[in-house]
Amino acid sequence: MISHPPLCYAYISPLLAKSDDPKMADDPAVLDVVTQLDKACTEAGFFYVKGHGIPDNLLKGVRDITRRFFELPYEEKAKIKMTPATGYRGYEKIGENITQGAPDMQEAIDFYREVSKGMYGDLGKVMEGYNQWPQNPPKFRILMEEYISLCKDLAKKIMCGIALALGGSPYEFEGDRAGDPFWYMRIIGYPGLSGENDIGCGAHTDYGLLTLLNQDDDINALQVRNLSGEWISAPPVPGTFVCNIGDMLKIYSNGLYESTLHRVINNSSKYRVSVVYFYETNFDTVVEPLDTYKTRTKGDKKFERAVYGEHLVKKVLTNFVEE
């Protein structure tokens, strides 16, 4: 049974306006945003972000050019086929991605921060490689790189607010934690309902710190499991991002914030597009709970230390059908 109570909203414009101010925590408008973020992360781990400053025409533009790519013949899309040799970057056909052993009804392109040979030693060897950018549609790379840059900046500023919400300084996620963040972007196409497997993406959590989802405005397919174990619909709200926290932020928060299970079921007859940007820690960061008055309220550190890069590689190596 799917229920439809609204997720939380965070109107973050005041936080963005003060993001370069070391005294941002003294500003009442910023503190109001921090309260919104804390409520959203505590109650659901998923929320809508408004007032983010990324133009609507760019949000729509990246979805439109994604759709145009997926409309191309398979032979054209396969020119940038994902393989281990590319560091798992590139195109995957429908059914090639798996979640918990079951094929997902989606096609996608994966892009990661590029990793040169030896950049992270043995830890990063699996992820070494460069992004494969399609030649068609024209200007695909230019548009996506602009979008990635804006998403990275936005996510960094949201993390300042989350750091304050956790009782730390706005800069908790700078330096060794996420001062040199890894990132991952997945652009996804979900076919309309076929009468067979309708699971566009099986239930999963995200790996890193923060996810920014840009989804089609007219198709309701994303579902989130709330703290009571119910699946909640997260319908699109034009002009917003759906934002959720990942496994590494759950550890940093000492379990105050949950990396929430979510899934995609496209019951529409329409083809659905989503563009998902994942903001992560530094690749080689050892992640353990922050030491703040808020995280200490959960008692002793609840989680084992984790290395983000190890966590990512383990997931990547089990995400695809072996050929």
Side-chain angles (χ1 to χ4, degrees):
M1 178 100 179
I2 304 300
S3 54
H4 297 267
L7 295 180
C8 297
Y9 283 81
Y11 185 78
I12 64 168
S13 181
L15 174 66
L16 303 187
K18 293 286 185 177
S19 61
D20 296 325
D21 184 351
K23 296 182 179 179
M24 70 174 80
D26 297 332
D27 186 289
V30 170
L31 291 179
D32 183 54
V33 176
V34 169
T35 299
Q36 294 173 48
L37 290 171
D38 186 52
K39 181 177 189 293
C41 291
T42 302
E43 292 183 359
F46 262 79
F47 51 98
Y48 295 100
V49 173
K50 302 180 76 174
H52 50 71
I54 296 181
D56 285 354
N57 64 348
L58 182 57
L59 295 179
K60 184 175 185 298
V62 296
R63 295 196 311 269
D64 287 348
I65 206 166
T66 294
R67 190 182 311 277
R68 286 165 55 201
F69 173 81
F70 288 136
E71 287 171 348
L72 294 171
Y74 173 75
E75 294 73 22
E76 181 71 19
K77 294 183 284 191
K79 290 179 180 178
I80 58 165
K81 178 177 171 55
M82 182 275 293
T83 68
T86 63
Y88 292 88
R89 295 163 175 81
Y91 171 74
E92 301 124 47
K93 65 186 178 184
I94 293 172
E96 194 169 355
N97 190 85
I98 57 176
T99 302
Q100 297 180 350
D104 294 320
M105 291 298 99
Q106 58 170 264
E107 56 184 328
I109 310 178
D110 282 339
F111 304 95
Y112 293 91
R113 179 175 171 175
E114 295 183 339
V115 178
S116 58
K117 191 172 179 60
M119 186 171 171
Y120 298 116
D122 289 344
L123 177 66
K125 195 166 185 59
V126 167
M127 303 308 301
E128 289 177 357
Y130 297 90
N131 287 317
Q132 300 193 81
W133 297 100
Q135 296 300 307
N136 290 309
K139 299 185 178 178
F140 185 100
R141 179 175 183 172
I142 293 170
L143 190 67
M144 289 297 180
E145 288 189 329
E146 177 190 3
Y147 182 75
I148 288 166
S149 177
L150 291 173
C151 284
K152 178 181 176 182
D153 186 59
L154 173 61
K156 178 179 179 179
K157 291 172 179 176
I158 295 173
M159 288 305 302
C160 290
I162 289 176
L164 290 170
L166 286 170
S169 85
Y171 308 114
E172 294 291 340
F173 296 103
E174 293 296 310
D176 290 342
R177 291 185 178 122
D180 186 26
F182 199 71
W183 61 264
Y184 164 36
M185 188 171 77
R186 184 171 178 83
I187 68 171
I188 313 171
Y190 300 95
L193 188 62
S194 65
E196 299 175 7
N197 177 12
D198 61 351
I199 307 293
C201 187
H204 65 285
T205 59
D206 292 343
Y207 313 153
L209 287 177
L210 198 69
T211 303
L212 298 173
L213 166 66
N214 172 12
Q215 59 179 332
D216 273 342
D217 289 340
D218 58 346
I219 301 174
N220 186 7
L222 176 64
Q223 299 174 6
V224 180
R225 198 173 77 172
N226 68 12
L227 298 180
S228 301
E230 302 171 305
W231 286 103
I232 297 173
S233 179
V237 177
T240 70
F241 285 103
V242 176
C243 186
N244 66 279
I245 64 177
D247 298 336
M248 298 299 105
L249 186 50
K250 177 179 179 177
I251 297 173
Y252 276 130
S253 74
N254 201 24
L256 283 171
Y257 299 163
E258 186 67 45
S259 52
T260 312
L261 275 171
H262 51 287
R263 66 189 183 187
V264 175
I265 299 179
N266 185 12
N267 287 320
S268 167
S269 61
K270 296 180 181 178
Y271 190 96
R272 175 180 182 264
V273 162
S274 66
V275 179
V276 197
Y277 176 84
F278 302 89
Y279 184 80
E280 317 290 61
T281 66
N282 296 1
F283 189 83
D284 52 1
T285 289
V286 177
V287 178
E288 55 188 338
L290 300 177
D291 185 22
T292 73
Y293 78 92
K294 284 283 289 287
T295 59
R296 287 194 296 271
T297 63
K298 298 289 279 190
D300 294 336
K301 293 181 178 179
K302 295 175 60 177
F303 297 94
E304 297 291 326
R305 292 155 44 121
V307 177
Y308 167 73
E310 289 178 357
H311 187 62
L312 174 67
V313 168
K314 181 180 177 182
K315 297 285 189 179
V316 166
L317 291 178
T318 57
N319 271 358
F320 305 104
V321 174
E322 293 185 12
E323 295 190 340

